[in-house]
Amino acid sequence: MDAKELSQLRRMKRELEKDRQHLEELEWDASAPPSLRQYCRISDEKSPGELAREITDLKTAITEKQLRCIREEKRLWLFISETDDSYWRLMLILRFVYGMPWEAVANEMHCTADAVRKSFCRKFKPP
């Protein structure tokens, strides 16, 4: 597994969060009374039926992305569990499962962010 594959779960979670925020906006717009339609985030040119379809489609997409995230997380845990060194397991879990920034990972591992990042880059060279 390379750095790009390890980062896949983090990217998927970010994308999922953006979809959830968009869904909230759509639901707010769909439930807004006519007097507030001018303040809607989504164009008021969309009919209630179009908004309802878009909401339904987005909910389906979110469910599919959640399932992909679960599969990716299982794959990541399997890779991590096969890693012999506890230092690397901890680093991989903190960074790629919990999504912590390098600075927070370094604090947990009692070293500098630069040292952790460089160590990771040496072991998992980007393609």
Side-chain angles (χ1 to χ4, degrees), residues 105-120:
V105 173
N107 286 339
E108 290 291 322
M109 300 183 79
H110 307 291
C111 58
T112 67
D114 221 26
V116 173
R117 191 179 5 255
K118 285 180 182 179
S119 179
F120 172 79

Side-chain angles (χ1 to χ4, degrees), residues 14-57:
R14 266 190 253 127
E15 185 180 330
L16 186 58
E17 187 54 37
K18 286 181 183 179
D19 285 348
R20 286 182 180 142
Q21 290 171 353
H22 185 61
L23 178 62
E24 284 180 23
E25 292 173 356
L26 287 173
E27 288 175 334
W28 188 90
D29 288 351
S31 65
S35 60
L36 293 178
R37 290 291 290 171
Q38 63 183 341
Y39 302 110
C40 289
R41 294 175 190 92
I42 308 300
S43 170
D44 59 350
E45 297 170 1
K46 290 187 179 181
S47 70
E50 290 173 321
L51 277 175
R53 275 190 301 281
E54 192 171 343
I55 288 170
T56 302
D57 292 345

Side-chain angles (χ1 to χ4, degrees), residues 10 80 86-121 124:
R10 291 178 63 232
I80 291 170
S86 62
Y87 172 84
W88 287 106
R89 274 196 311 273
L90 178 60
M91 181 193 298
L92 295 171
I93 290 169
L94 295 175
R95 176 68 178 170
F96 298 105
V97 176
Y98 297 134
M100 296 171 70
W102 286 118
E103 292 76 20
V105 173
N107 286 339
E108 290 291 322
M109 300 183 79
H110 307 291
C111 58
T112 67
D114 221 26
V116 173
R117 191 179 5 255
K118 285 180 182 179
S119 179
F120 172 79
C121 287
F124 297 96

